[in-house]
Amino acid sequence: MRYFPAMHRVAALVRPPQSTFELACAAQVFGIERAGLPTRYAFGVCAEHPGPVATLAGYDMLVTGGLEALDRADTVIVPGWLPAREPPSPVVVRALHRAHSRGARLVSICSGAFALAHAGLLDGREATTHWGLAGELAARFPRVRVDPDVLYVDHGDVATSAGAGAGIDLCMHLVRGDQGARYAAHIARTMVMPPHREGGQLQYSAPPHPAQIDGTLAPLLEWVTARLGEPLSTESMAAQAGVSARTLTRRFAGQLGTSPGRWLLAQRIATARDLLESSDLPLDAVARRVGLSSATNLRRRFLTALGTTPGAYRRSFRARPR
């Protein structure tokens, strides 16, 4: 888990022709003040050459910030980089390296991975981009381990996302890590979207929220989420849905891009995170509430999924002003 100041500075680096959607993904998550939620992010946009910046939507946007914004940012986002084959200038590369060297988190959305790859910041790392660009990224940068299927990859100091809506998924994932599940869920509600999709899900999969899944799975997902404290398995879920375990597994893969077991574990961990942030329940009680049976099992699952312990997670978010 990474720790940042109470007011976390986010800078989006744009260039012409800028994709407005990828920029909006970051701006909507990090740049909006929301009623009833403490403001934890200061969002800004910068460019190598401040002034009018052409967009793919047919209009120019006025960007007043220059590369000096990267020297102050806690997170630097590259929301697309087109044409992808054109490398950043040496000045931009140096600015990205300075930001990374002093501890800023570097994030790319969609084709933005090409800017980080051109700068050598993805060498030896797993990364992703839009599935339609993954082959080009792998061919141009053989030292980057490109995964064309996942929604996003987060190394802590560097994170990359697939195209379009996967950028929102990555931004929401980062907010969950920075501020906690409850804070992220509040943002998600205002955006009318599910609070979390696992990075390992397929790029073309549907979001795992019952209201956004078709009728074949929605009732089952609602039934499961209301019974997380009970012993559940692929077989019991299949029986509830009235299908075979094999059929259920195919439906999960087709609609959610994951298996029933992985989806169930993700729901249990997400609910445990919320309980750790919002209650004083002992770890054993939290584990039983979410169906993980014991504090030992909860601790093991937390370490695997989040790289921290339930106790450390609770202390981290309890220490922050709400």
Side-chain angles (χ1 to χ4, degrees), residues 160-175:
T160 56
S161 88
I168 297 178
D169 291 312
L170 175 56
C171 291
M172 292 301 302
H173 163 79
L174 297 176
V175 170

Side-chain angles (χ1 to χ4, degrees), residues 164-292:
I168 297 178
D169 291 312
L170 175 56
C171 291
M172 292 301 302
H173 163 79
L174 297 176
V175 170
R176 285 170 65 89
D178 295 344
Q179 313 296 346
R182 180 156 291 197
Y183 190 97
H186 187 118
I187 292 178
R189 283 194 299 273
T190 67
M191 294 174 64
V192 196
M193 63 169 289
H196 185 56
R197 284 203 292 174
E198 293 293 335
Q201 290 186 46
L202 299 179
Q203 290 195 22
Y204 47 79
S205 65
H209 189 277
Q212 295 180 279
I213 305 298
D214 72 26
T216 63
L217 277 184
L220 176 64
L221 301 191
E222 292 174 351
W223 181 84
V224 171
T225 54
R227 293 167 174 81
L228 289 178
E230 301 176 11
L232 295 168
S233 65
T234 299
E235 289 71 22
S236 63
M237 292 163 64
Q240 173 64 25
V243 298
S244 69
R246 181 175 296 181
T247 297
L248 185 68
T249 298
R250 284 199 302 267
R251 290 183 181 177
F252 265 76
Q255 294 189 43
L256 302 180
T258 189
S259 68
R262 286 189 62 183
W263 179 85
L264 176 59
L265 179 58
Q267 306 315 302
R268 284 176 163 157
I269 291 174
T271 303
R273 291 175 71 166
D274 184 70
L275 289 172
L276 289 168
E277 294 175 32
S278 61
S279 77
D280 295 311
L281 288 171
L283 295 187
D284 269 319
V286 171
R288 290 193 299 272
R289 287 261 187 113
V290 301
L292 291 177

Side-chain angles (χ1 to χ4, degrees):
M1 186 178 298
R2 290 165 65 80
Y3 297 93
F4 296 100
M7 186 58 72
H8 183 120
R9 297 176 295 270
V10 179
L13 173 63
V14 301
R15 62 161 283 166
Q18 178 60 44
S19 167
T20 54
F21 183 82
E22 278 79 2
L23 176 59
C25 290
Q28 187 67 28
V29 173
F30 296 112
I32 304 295
E33 292 187 6
R34 294 171 168 88
L37 193 67
T39 300
R40 300 275 174 77
Y41 294 98
F43 180 81
V45 180
C46 65
E48 180 180 7
H49 303 294
V53 174
T55 71
L56 292 175
Y59 61 85
D60 291 355
M61 59 181 179
L62 181 62
V63 177
T64 59
L67 293 180
E68 67 277 0
L70 304 191
D71 294 326
R72 301 186 296 268
D74 301 298
T75 292
V76 174
I77 300 178
V78 185
W81 190 265
L82 296 172
R85 65 181 178 277
E86 292 187 7
S89 71
V91 175
V92 170
V93 170
R94 287 195 296 270
L96 290 172
H97 276 277
R98 280 198 312 272
H100 184 250
S101 296
R102 64 174 178 77
R105 178 173 59 195
L106 302 189
V107 177
S108 69
I109 297 175
C110 195
S111 59
F114 282 81
L116 301 186
H118 279 297
L121 290 162
L122 299 182
D123 287 356
R125 296 176 182 260
E126 183 182 351
T128 194
T129 185
H130 190 286
W131 61 265
L133 296 170
E136 181 181 352
L137 183 65
R140 292 179 64 87
F141 304 100
R143 297 184 64 184
V144 181
R145 301 195 304 273
V146 179
D147 189 334
D149 297 322
V150 299
L151 293 177
Y152 53 83
V153 178
D154 180 15
H155 294 285
D157 61 325
V158 176
T160 56
S161 88
I168 297 178
D169 291 312
L170 175 56
C171 291
M172 292 301 302
H173 163 79
L174 297 176
V175 170
R176 285 170 65 89
D178 295 344
Q179 313 296 346
R182 180 156 291 197
Y183 190 97
H186 187 118
I187 292 178
R189 283 194 299 273
T190 67
M191 294 174 64
V192 196
M193 63 169 289
H196 185 56
R197 284 203 292 174
E198 293 293 335
Q201 290 186 46
L202 299 179
Q203 290 195 22
Y204 47 79
S205 65
H209 189 277
Q212 295 180 279
I213 305 298
D214 72 26
T216 63
L217 277 184
L220 176 64
L221 301 191
E222 292 174 351
W223 181 84
V224 171
T225 54
R227 293 167 174 81
L228 289 178
E230 301 176 11
L232 295 168
S233 65
T234 299
E235 289 71 22
S236 63
M237 292 163 64
Q240 173 64 25
V243 298
S244 69
R246 181 175 296 181
T247 297
L248 185 68
T249 298
R250 284 199 302 267
R251 290 183 181 177
F252 265 76
Q255 294 189 43
L256 302 180
T258 189
S259 68
R262 286 189 62 183
W263 179 85
L264 176 59
L265 179 58
Q267 306 315 302
R268 284 176 163 157
I269 291 174
T271 303
R273 291 175 71 166
D274 184 70
L275 289 172
L276 289 168
E277 294 175 32
S278 61
S279 77
D280 295 311
L281 288 171
L283 295 187
D284 269 319
V286 171
R288 290 193 299 272
R289 287 261 187 113
V290 301
L292 291 177
S293 72
S294 69
T296 299
N297 191 31
L298 175 65
R299 190 174 298 110
R300 179 170 63 88
R301 297 294 190 178
F302 244 68
L303 277 170
T304 300
L306 304 176
T308 188
T309 65
Y313 183 89
R314 171 175 270 169
R315 287 191 297 273
S316 170
F317 289 106
R318 286 299 180 86
R320 302 180 187 189
R322 291 298 175 190

